[in-house]
Amino acid sequence: MLQKKDVSKYLGAALTVLGVVVASVILIFCFVKFDAIKAGAAQLVDILMPFIVGLVIAYLLSPIYNALVRNLEPWLRTVCRMKRPRGLAKGLALFLSVLLVLAVVFGLIAMILPQLFDSVANLGTSLPGYLEQTGIWLDEMLAHLGLDISVQEYFDDMGSQFSTWLAETLLPGLQSLVEQLGTDSLVGGLFSGVVTVVNGVTNFVLGLIVSVYLLADKERMLALSKKLLYAIAGTERGNRVLEELRKTNRIFGGFITGKLVDSLIMGILCFIGSSLLRLPYALLVSVVVGVTNIIPFFGPFLGAIPCALLILLTDPIKCVYFIIFILALQQFDGNILGPRILGNTTGVSPFGVLFAIIFFGGVFGFVGTIIGVPLFAILSSLVGELVDRWLKKKNLSRKLGDYANLDYVKEDAGQTPENYIKRQDPTRK
């Protein structure tokens, strides 16, 4: 007759096998219906986009909102002699936080759009002159080096060939394409572009409204979330989950906040340097450099390349100045400013940073390049804690140094360093 512990053992094994079978079936189904699941997920993301945008805005504004509430509440209590000033402090903090977002958005639009329009207009009207000036400059440089080569002739030939291609090939081809597609298709494409812009603005406005509700009610929502967590997971697992969530928030929030501050300082420094060097489009270039600096590793290059090309069409010499200035500025950011602001927030190695940007950027696009590093740091921390827990159960050392140049570990040796036998030749694997 089976005893109770035997029944429990067999029942646990049966449930494990059943769980593996169910997981395998779900995995196969996901592979077979991958396109349908992907389309459904994209549609769900589109529906929830205002809430996603609102959650991001609320998360970014949360430190500012908390700081305002902490400072406004005692001020209202002492200056205005209010007995319960917290409600008014929260209302004022919400108003000031939203006002800050609107000021940043409209400020960037007011700064960028005029210079962007000017740069496009100047580029269209002055491109032949820029090419001629660049050819003369290259000829003078080559003559100074003692080379008898005329670049201007090639530039003139390229200009004439481009004009011929534009008049005889591109414009007739576009006209033929429009005639084949019809007016409806052209109007439909324009309408689709307008709809995309309108949807983006609508998602931002609705997201801003959602963020206001999230910030105003975040204390009650956090309390409800913790109540639900402990009801499902219990005390021990609930405490562990909360600890991991706090660590996640510390890593993620510290990285994002620090990177935003670092990018703001870089944009200001770029504007000051560009103004002193009298570079064209100083404000536009500084905004592009500051925004793209949010992306780790690749960001400075992504922002500097189009700016350098834009300046090159205006003044080749100043383009060289800009490249030298940006290289020096990025060295300052990478070796002094960035480490001082970010510190060791993520603890990710340079290889991990590169892998995180490429992998998560490929999965999530532009957003993945920004959140990839802190997300990789969080996953690495969780995996590291899981590995340490397994090593502890096996009575093995959790110190990384004990495994450097390790040859083997004595069986049933415990955690004493003398039982971790090192290689005599560190170059041997």
Side-chain angles (χ1 to χ4, degrees), residues 33-79:
K33 299 292 184 178
F34 179 76
D35 293 335
I37 294 174
K38 183 179 179 181
Q43 185 177 4
L44 182 63
V45 169
D46 289 337
I47 295 172
L48 297 177
M49 186 56 66
F51 296 94
I52 296 174
V53 173
L55 185 62
V56 172
I57 295 175
Y59 184 79
L60 294 177
L61 287 180
S62 184
I64 301 174
Y65 170 79
N66 293 336
L68 288 173
V69 171
R70 285 195 304 268
N71 289 279
L72 287 172
E73 188 173 0
W75 181 80
L76 292 172
R77 181 179 289 110
T78 55
V79 177

Side-chain angles (χ1 to χ4, degrees), residues 329-359:
L329 189 62
Q330 293 303 329
Q331 288 298 316
F332 168 75
D333 179 47
N335 297 306
I336 299 176
L337 181 63
R340 180 65 63 89
I341 295 177
L342 294 173
N344 196 20
T345 305
T346 59
V348 180
S349 65
F351 173 78
V353 171
L354 182 61
F355 173 81
I357 294 172
I358 295 176
F359 177 77

Side-chain angles (χ1 to χ4, degrees), residues 252-315:
F252 198 87
F255 178 83
I256 296 298
T257 305
K259 201 62 181 173
L260 289 175
V261 174
D262 176 64
S263 299
L264 176 62
I265 296 175
M266 284 290 291
I268 295 173
L269 293 177
C270 182
F271 178 72
I272 294 174
S274 300
S275 300
L276 293 175
L277 293 173
R278 300 184 181 276
L279 299 179
Y281 315 115
L283 186 59
L284 176 63
V285 167
S286 302
V287 172
V288 173
V289 169
V291 171
T292 54
N293 192 70
I294 299 176
I295 304 174
F297 196 79
F298 293 111
F301 303 101
L302 293 177
I305 291 174
C307 294
L309 292 176
L310 183 63
I311 297 175
L312 177 65
L313 295 175
T314 304
D315 193 330

Side-chain angles (χ1 to χ4, degrees), residues 145-157:
L145 295 174
L147 299 176
D148 188 16
I149 302 175
S150 178
V151 179
Q152 186 63 37
E153 297 178 0
Y154 294 102
F155 269 63
D156 294 339
D157 186 49

Side-chain angles (χ1 to χ4, degrees), residues 238-258:
N239 290 335
R240 189 182 303 167
V241 170
L242 279 182
E243 182 181 355
E244 296 298 334
L245 289 176
R246 291 190 185 99
K247 182 184 296 185
T248 299
N249 178 63
R250 185 171 62 252
I251 295 174
F252 198 87
F255 178 83
I256 296 298
T257 305

Side-chain angles (χ1 to χ4, degrees), residues 391-403:
L391 290 172
K392 185 178 180 181
K393 288 181 179 180
K394 294 177 172 57
N395 196 27
L396 292 172
S397 174
R398 287 168 287 174
K399 297 179 180 179
L400 184 62
D402 290 340
Y403 297 91

